[in-house]
Amino acid sequence: MAFLTPKAMLLPGGTGSGGAAAPGWPGAWLWSLCVVLLCLAGAPAAVATPSAEYQIKAAYLLNFARYVEWPAARLSATQPLRVCVLGRDPFGGALVGLEGRQVNGREVRVRQLEGVDQAGECHIVFISDSEERRVGGLLRLLFNRGLLLVSDIDGFAEAGGSIGLVTEEGRVRFEINQASLLRDGLRASAQLLRLARSVYGVRAP
């Protein structure tokens, strides 16, 4: 298998992508640099094997952490980055393997939440599809708490979640709700916004 360099990867044709070359990612910080590059280029998710799909989704969570900025009062330079799962854990150990990794100089900590009341200790909360029936209530409970809320529940970003993961033609991609990010004091980089399939909550010019 030939490994693709950053310059060889093309962005997905989502909002604002324009078919430009994907930016380079610093360091081989996950299973391999190839996995991360394929992930952000909208690479095939190999959805026939859920563990492979969720390895890519775990890679997305770490990349979101690299390109989303939290207020200093919520996440200082010396604090660990806490990635949490609310509901049934679909990652099959992929997130546990990230424990102790470094993201922007911060150590990653992974936690399975026993209830929504524990979410305030986190920075990224992945809401499992096991919580789909009560996702509206969870979003209301977690609003305005400085959390990056991510899920692969259908319509998650459009419903008010921070970032929704979507599988389209066998590729894992993502949608961003810019209004939700701003409400929680979070700022996504221009690079991340360009890579998104759709960006909600942005006023038309």
Side-chain angles (χ1 to χ4, degrees), residues 86 116 119 127 131-147 149 156 159-162 180 183-184:
L86 181 60
V116 68
I127 301 176
E131 309 306 298
E132 183 171 6
R133 290 186 177 182
R134 63 184 191 123
V135 68
L138 291 174
L139 287 174
R140 287 190 292 271
L141 287 171
L142 297 173
F143 281 165
N144 299 311
R145 297 179 67 177
L147 300 171
L149 303 176
F156 183 74
S162 309
S180 295
R183 179 199 59 229
D184 281 285

Side-chain angles (χ1 to χ4, degrees), residues 120-201:
E121 303 173 13
C122 309
H123 301 103
I124 299 176
V125 176
F126 181 88
I127 301 176
S128 169
D129 62 5
S130 67
E131 309 306 298
E132 183 171 6
R133 290 186 177 182
R134 63 184 191 123
V135 68
L138 291 174
L139 287 174
R140 287 190 292 271
L141 287 171
L142 297 173
F143 281 165
N144 299 311
R145 297 179 67 177
L147 300 171
L148 182 68
L149 303 176
V150 184
S151 181
D152 53 8
I153 294 172
D154 288 345
F156 183 74
E158 193 170 8
S162 309
I163 300 180
L165 295 172
V166 296
T167 301
E168 182 180 69
E169 297 181 353
R171 298 172 183 267
V172 177
R173 302 179 68 184
F174 63 94
E175 302 175 334
I176 294 177
N177 190 314
Q178 177 78 311
S180 295
L181 290 176
L182 294 175
R183 179 199 59 229
D184 281 285
L186 308 178
R187 186 172 67 86
S189 72
Q191 291 176 338
L192 192 65
L193 292 170
R194 283 197 300 269
L195 282 164
R197 174 181 179 269
S198 301
V199 178
Y200 301 107

Side-chain angles (χ1 to χ4, degrees), residues 15-37:
T15 302
S17 63
W25 296 94
W29 54 272
L30 212 48
W31 297 279
S32 70
L33 178 60
C34 183
V35 170
V36 177
L37 291 172

